Amino acid sequence: MTLLDATVRDGSYYVDFKFSSEDVSEIVGRVAKLGFKYIEIGHGKGLNANSLKHGLAMQTDEEYMNAAKLVCKESKLGCFCIPEIARLDDIKKAASNGMNFLRIGQNADDIESVKEYVVKSKEEGLEVMVNFMKTYLISPKEFSKKAKLVKEWGADCVYVVDSSGGMLPNQIVDYYKYVRDETDIKIGLHCHDNLGLAVSNSLLAYELGYDFIDTTLQGVGTVSYTHLTLPTNSRV
């Protein structure tokens, strides 16, 4: 199981996307020293989101990437990408600026729209994870079928995403088991903590065999729904 830290990316909601380059270097440097192998950076809504519509960040995508690279030599760095916001050219920009992975997010009932983004990311040599935002919009059986589909497109991992923080333990189990019955693609979990279940659901995911579990330092995350994933001092 691998922990993925999203403090900079998801945590940017908490500061109205106003992390500076210095902030990013400080956070990424500390997380890398803790031994995290995957660190996600950038605007909360991903590549090309820096705008009046989606929230003005303090720095550009490239400046965030450069700030992270300065202090991170061993860990893999990556960004988020939402097809309605990011352009295909932004994927090439991420790859050319030293990013190692890309997480492509889309609502679970519209996941077919990410296909060209997955294909483009693989062409650029990136590791690709597909986040099924609001996973609970589709059944575990449908999720497993779509997980198999995105693997055929080239994706390396699919994510169960509890966007409203209301998923119960039995759902964490069901989504995992249905996928495992259908395909061997890697599976990740991204929790929010509205019901106070984020940490326990993440620990359950660890026991089940999920491949990736998301974390943020001190549970920092979006203001609209507190994003609390595994604390960095967790035993897992």
Side-chain angles (χ1 to χ4, degrees):
M1 190 277 299
T2 300
L3 295 178
L4 185 152
D5 185 81
T7 301
V8 171
R9 200 279 298 177
D10 217 350
S12 70
Y13 284 92
Y14 192 74
V15 295
D16 194 27
F17 313 113
K18 295 302 188 290
F19 279 136
S20 67
S21 290
E22 291 76 17
D23 292 330
V24 171
S25 291
E26 175 75 11
I27 295 168
V28 171
R30 288 176 179 266
V31 171
K33 288 179 180 178
L34 288 171
F36 282 78
K37 295 181 180 178
Y38 287 76
I39 303 172
E40 188 176 63
I41 63 167
H43 192 287
K45 296 182 181 180
L47 296 171
N48 195 45
N50 186 7
S51 64
L52 286 172
K53 181 178 180 179
H54 299 294
L56 285 173
M58 187 172 288
Q59 316 282 171
T60 66
D61 289 341
E62 293 93 333
E63 288 170 336
Y64 284 133
M65 294 175 196
N66 289 332
K69 287 189 299 182
L70 285 174
V71 296
C72 186
K73 306 303 180 183
E74 302 297 330
S75 305
K76 292 184 178 182
L77 293 170
C79 297
F80 199 66
C81 167
I82 299 176
E84 292 85 355
I85 299 174
R87 305 157 299 187
L88 292 176
D89 284 347
D90 293 310
I91 297 173
K92 183 175 182 179
K93 177 172 65 178
S96 63
N97 277 278
M99 297 298 99
N100 307 111
F101 69 90
L102 187 69
R103 295 213 293 178
I104 305 169
Q106 181 57 280
N107 288 338
D109 58 355
D110 187 30
I111 213 67
E112 289 77 11
S113 65
V114 309
K115 180 177 180 179
E116 62 180 336
Y117 286 79
V118 172
V119 172
K120 176 64 174 177
S121 298
K122 295 306 294 185
E123 288 175 351
E124 295 295 334
L126 295 169
E127 185 173 352
V128 179
M129 306 168 185
V130 177
N131 279 30
F132 284 64
M133 299 191 300
K134 304 175 186 175
T135 302
Y136 42 80
L137 291 175
I138 60 177
S139 68
K141 184 176 181 180
E142 187 177 359
F143 177 73
S144 70
K145 299 294 183 183
K146 293 191 176 187
K148 183 178 181 180
L149 183 63
V150 299
K151 183 185 179 183
E152 292 173 357
W153 299 339
D156 302 287
C157 178
V158 294
Y159 256 83
V160 174
V161 182
D162 186 9
S163 302
S164 65
M167 290 179 69
L168 300 175
N170 66 292
Q171 293 175 285
I172 305 302
V173 173
D174 288 345
Y175 282 104
Y176 177 81
K177 287 188 173 180
Y178 270 84
V179 171
R180 275 292 162 261
D181 288 341
E182 190 72 36
T183 175
D184 62 353
I185 192 170
K186 292 180 179 179
I187 308 173
L189 179 66
H190 180 97
C191 290
H192 291 175
D193 201 45
N194 296 57
L195 295 183
L197 295 174
V199 172
S200 60
N201 280 344
S202 295
L203 290 170
L204 173 60
Y206 168 71
E207 293 172 355
L208 287 167
Y210 274 73
D211 300 284
F212 286 91
I213 298 175
D214 283 8
T215 72
T216 62
L217 296 173
Q218 300 301 312
V220 67
T222 58
V223 175
S224 58
Y225 41 87
T226 302
H227 175 169
L228 175 61
T229 50
L230 284 177
T232 56
N233 63 352
S234 169
R235 292 176 61 188
V236 299

